[in-house]
Amino acid sequence: MQLVDCSPERHAGAILDLLNDAILHSTALYEYTPRPPQSMEAWFAGKHQGGFPVIGLEDDDGRLAGFASYGSFRAYPAFKYSVEHSVYVHADHRGRGVGRTLLQALIERARQQQRHLLVGAIDAGNAASIALHTGLGFVHAGTLPQAGFKFGRWLDLAFYQLTLDTPEAPVDG
């Protein structure tokens, strides 16, 4: 397996497949409708514009086993050092350390970019994701009960955070 920086040309289709699988079959995304292919252009443009990484892990055949990324946590200037991240792993590669490898790479990229706080918004019933995060030092920061409704039931949204020792010299403005 090899870590790569994802590009729209090479990875948009595989990322879209992972996102749409999560939309249709899980509570990892609180969305109802699969995203259309054309949505990936804007998705990648937003990541590029914000300087946000999209890190992939390819298997030995060059197929995307999973990806991780982050974006703005909230759209206010004082949150500039905080990001909300996500990690998605293809069903064929779950339970093999792919998510851990991706999240570790994302944490390192956040340090390099002088971020301070990584926030994971995780469905409270997603035990695998919670274990992944706590295993890498994330702590539970709170839960919003009944924040979403999907698959005929209310969903609780749990927040996990990792506070980094960066930036070295934070500034206002």
Side-chain angles (χ1 to χ4, degrees):
M1 297 250 187
Q2 178 178 352
L3 284 169
V4 297
D5 287 318
C6 292
S7 69
E9 301 79 22
R10 181 174 168 104
H11 300 102
I15 289 173
L16 180 65
D17 288 346
L18 287 170
L19 293 171
N20 283 340
D21 181 69
I23 290 168
L24 292 172
H25 304 290
S26 79
T27 55
L29 279 169
Y30 286 15
E31 297 179 39
Y32 300 123
T33 307
R35 297 177 185 182
Q38 60 270 27
S39 70
M40 293 310 294
E41 185 177 325
W43 187 86
F44 267 102
K47 298 294 182 184
H48 178 73
Q49 227 171 16
F52 302 129
V54 181
I55 301 170
L57 190 62
E58 293 180 339
D59 67 16
D60 295 336
D61 295 324
R63 290 182 302 238
L64 195 67
F67 79 94
S69 186
Y70 56 69
S72 297
F73 172 63
R74 299 202 60 201
Y76 298 100
F79 289 106
K80 66 185 170 188
Y81 297 114
S82 298
V83 291
E84 183 176 346
H85 69 278
S86 53
V87 178
Y88 293 91
V89 177
H90 190 280
D92 293 345
H93 295 280
R94 291 183 189 141
R96 299 180 182 176
V98 170
R100 183 177 184 84
T101 299
L102 286 166
L103 189 50
Q104 286 173 320
L106 200 63
I107 292 166
E108 182 54 35
R109 191 70 61 89
R111 279 193 177 99
Q112 291 169 2
Q113 291 189 334
Q114 297 293 293
R115 304 296 181 177
H116 183 65
L117 187 72
L118 279 93
V119 177
I122 306 169
D123 182 76
N126 189 340
S129 185
I130 290 169
L132 168 65
H133 284 79
T134 57
L136 288 174
F138 284 76
V139 297
H140 183 247
T143 298
L144 301 175
Q146 300 183 10
F149 189 82
K150 187 174 179 181
F151 300 135
R153 67 183 191 276
W154 289 107
L155 305 173
D156 298 344
L157 186 62
F159 288 91
Y160 284 79
Q161 71 177 56
L162 180 67
T163 305
L164 303 176
D165 56 2
T166 49
E168 294 164 5
V171 296
D172 290 332

